[in-house]
Amino acid sequence: MARSIIVGAGMVGLATAWHLQERGVEVTIIDREGVAAGSSWGNAGWLAPAKTIPLADPSLWTYGPKALIDPDAALHVPVRVDVNLWSFLARFAAHGTQRAWDRAMVALTPIDRLALQSFDELIDGGVESSTHEGPFIIGFGHARHARGFMRDVAGVIQHGQSVHVERLDDPRALAPQLSSQIGAAYRMDGQRFIEPGPFMHALAESVTARGAEMRMGLEVSAVDSSSRPSVMLSNGETLTADSVVIATGAWMPRLARVLGVNVPVQAGRGYSFTVDTDEPAEHPVYLPTQRIACTPYQGRFRIAGTMEFRGPDDALQHRRIQAIVNQVRTLMTGVDLDNRHDEWVGSRPVTPDGLPLVGQTRAPNVYVAGGHGMWGVVLGPATGKLLAERIVTGRTDPAIAPFDPLR
């Protein structure tokens, strides 16, 4: 029986393991901390292919400079000498054109269209969790502020997705957490959400029940395939297998760069916390102007935001939590922003061109899966399925062909 080692126990790593098991492969999963210890736990849990779009777009050229001087802006770059960071930002900004956005959207649309059915496949296959239907409520201070959002929706439709958006007469009817400062709101249907923590642990339990070996609390120091694919652990142990998958998110370059994966991966850190609400939150809420996403989560309301370009291991910056609070305080009502729970930061792996890195490295039978930016959760199951097919059969599905990690 074939055997594979998966490095990383986030959504992408666990989904890849699950689908390898579907094809009869034995798997060992290694993570330096544990299941969903990175960006897979505290995110908004959105399964929204209609919003799974390139991060860099033409608005970056007007929004970016303003954000750099606004301490409460969603985009945050620490002022410090960091050649690698500023080199990445220059390449990222170069993709902030309509032509680059369209090119990336062409590449993302095929896997976007597989996203929701890939979650259904996991659940139908025994993962004891669920997804939740929308609608998603999109709020703006004034209707004119919706132009950018509607332009993105039109672009997604143009590239082949079906998206339904309609204006609401009463923004508070479906989202009583919105204050009177929200002058226009829309509902977006056809999208779903999950509670990320419970879903991730259900996926891990399914993989374990199928016979996976879980090696948590161990760090992989190197990956090699000079004779046979192998990983070297920080405790001195070496494990070999028929294939190795590096799915370590923002930490991918530490293992993959020496294997020929030279596309930069920068940690785009997101923050979140949960709060109590006077009225139950039933639907996700998005505030595009503030770049803030909110989701019902275990009886509370999870509020997530910020794209902070900083090192993946840097400590949580409490100023970024306060920036989110400052942005939403006047836009929400009946929300206890001063009694926050589960304050969290997670490092999302961002590439300059907005495309993931999925496929074989220069080392035979050593693969990478990551670089999804903000979309690792929604695209994780589809990525895992298609990468498992590539590992077992040698066939590269057209939906992941543009994500060649050696590009």
Side-chain angles (χ1 to χ4, degrees):
M1 180 178 285
R3 185 164 176 267
S4 184
I5 296 172
I6 313 294
V7 186
M11 177 65 87
V12 175
L14 290 176
T16 303
W18 194 92
H19 280 287
L20 284 170
Q21 290 175 317
E22 283 285 279
R23 293 177 173 272
V25 178
E26 288 186 343
V27 297
T28 296
I29 302 168
I30 304 170
D31 195 282
R32 65 175 186 168
E33 293 186 48
V35 172
S39 59
S40 292
W41 184 85
N43 61 85
W46 283 18
L47 311 185
K51 285 301 297 172
T52 305
I53 60 179
L55 293 179
D57 63 32
S59 70
L60 181 66
W61 293 99
T62 54
Y63 173 76
K66 296 177 183 177
L68 293 178
I69 60 174
D70 180 358
D72 289 337
L75 176 63
H76 180 71
V77 182
V79 180
R80 63 186 183 188
V81 178
D82 187 331
V83 174
N84 290 333
L85 172 59
W86 290 102
S87 173
F88 168 85
L89 291 174
R91 296 178 63 173
F92 181 78
H95 286 86
T97 66
Q98 189 61 49
R99 182 177 179 181
W101 192 93
D102 285 323
R103 185 167 57 245
M105 201 65 230
V106 167
L108 286 170
T109 295
I111 198 167
D112 283 355
R113 297 175 69 174
L114 296 173
L116 297 183
Q117 68 189 61
S118 297
F119 275 87
D120 293 338
E121 188 169 357
L122 292 177
I123 294 167
D124 293 343
V127 176
E128 295 186 358
S129 192
S130 60
T131 65
H132 307 281
E133 297 287 343
F136 283 50
I137 311 305
I138 321 297
F140 302 90
H142 191 279
R144 65 176 177 272
H145 300 156
R147 292 169 186 164
F149 172 79
M150 298 304 291
R151 184 171 56 248
D152 287 345
V153 169
V156 168
I157 293 172
Q158 177 187 347
H159 286 287
Q161 290 195 51
S162 177
V163 185
H164 178 73
V165 176
E166 67 178 62
R167 185 163 178 178
L168 295 171
D169 293 330
D170 179 7
R172 287 176 50 81
L174 293 175
Q177 292 74 32
L178 294 177
S179 77
S180 60
Q181 295 298 309
I182 297 296
Y186 301 76
R187 63 178 290 163
M188 181 169 65
D189 292 286
Q191 318 300 304
R192 307 187 207 168
F193 65 97
I194 59 171
E195 294 186 340
F199 191 98
M200 290 300 307
H201 284 281
L203 178 55
E205 289 168 5
S206 178
V207 169
T208 302
R210 293 160 139 222
E213 181 184 8
M214 305 288 282
R215 303 287 301 273
M216 302 294 103
L218 289 172
E219 186 161 8
V220 173
S221 57
V223 176
D224 181 49
S225 68
S226 54
S227 56
R228 191 178 179 208
S230 60
V231 299
M232 281 62 76
L233 304 181
S234 54
N235 65 0
E237 187 179 359
T238 298
L239 303 177
T240 61
D242 299 294
S243 62
V244 172
V245 177
I246 301 170
T248 51
W251 295 267
M252 180 190 291
R254 297 181 184 178
L255 297 176
R257 186 177 290 115
V258 298
L259 304 175
V261 181
N262 295 316
V263 177
V265 177
Q266 169 63 42
R269 307 197 322 162
Y271 286 76
S272 74
F273 52 85
T274 59
V275 293
D276 294 307
T277 59
D278 291 348
E279 297 186 52
E282 297 181 358
H283 305 296
V285 171
Y286 183 39
L287 304 174
T289 305
Q290 293 74 27
R291 272 82 167 174
I292 288 173
C294 311
T295 315
Y297 187 82
Q298 297 188 317
R300 294 193 174 107
F301 204 36
R302 172 170 283 176
I303 301 176
T306 292
M307 175 61 73
E308 179 192 43
F309 288 122
R310 188 183 282 269
D313 292 312
D314 286 2
L316 181 149
Q317 305 295 307
H318 289 281
R319 181 64 186 83
R320 302 314 308 152
I321 296 283
Q322 189 60 47
I324 297 174
V325 172
N326 293 346
Q327 289 275 26
V328 303
R329 191 175 290 280
T330 62
L331 303 177
M332 292 187 178
T333 186
V335 175
D336 191 356
L337 293 170
D338 297 319
N339 183 26
R340 299 182 294 274
H341 306 264
D342 304 321
E343 291 187 349
W344 172 89
V345 61
S347 294
R348 301 166 298 199
V350 180
T351 60
D353 60 6
L355 300 183
L357 303 168
V358 183
Q360 184 171 275
T361 69
R362 286 182 184 165
N365 299 313
V366 177
Y367 304 83
V368 296
H372 295 80
M374 296 171 64
W375 320 124
V377 167
V378 60
L379 298 182
T383 296
K385 178 179 181 177
L386 300 182
L387 181 59
E389 178 186 7
R390 169 65 179 84
I391 292 169
V392 174
T393 71
R395 174 183 178 271
T396 298
D397 190 283
I400 59 170
F403 308 152
D404 182 358
L406 302 181
R407 62 181 182 270

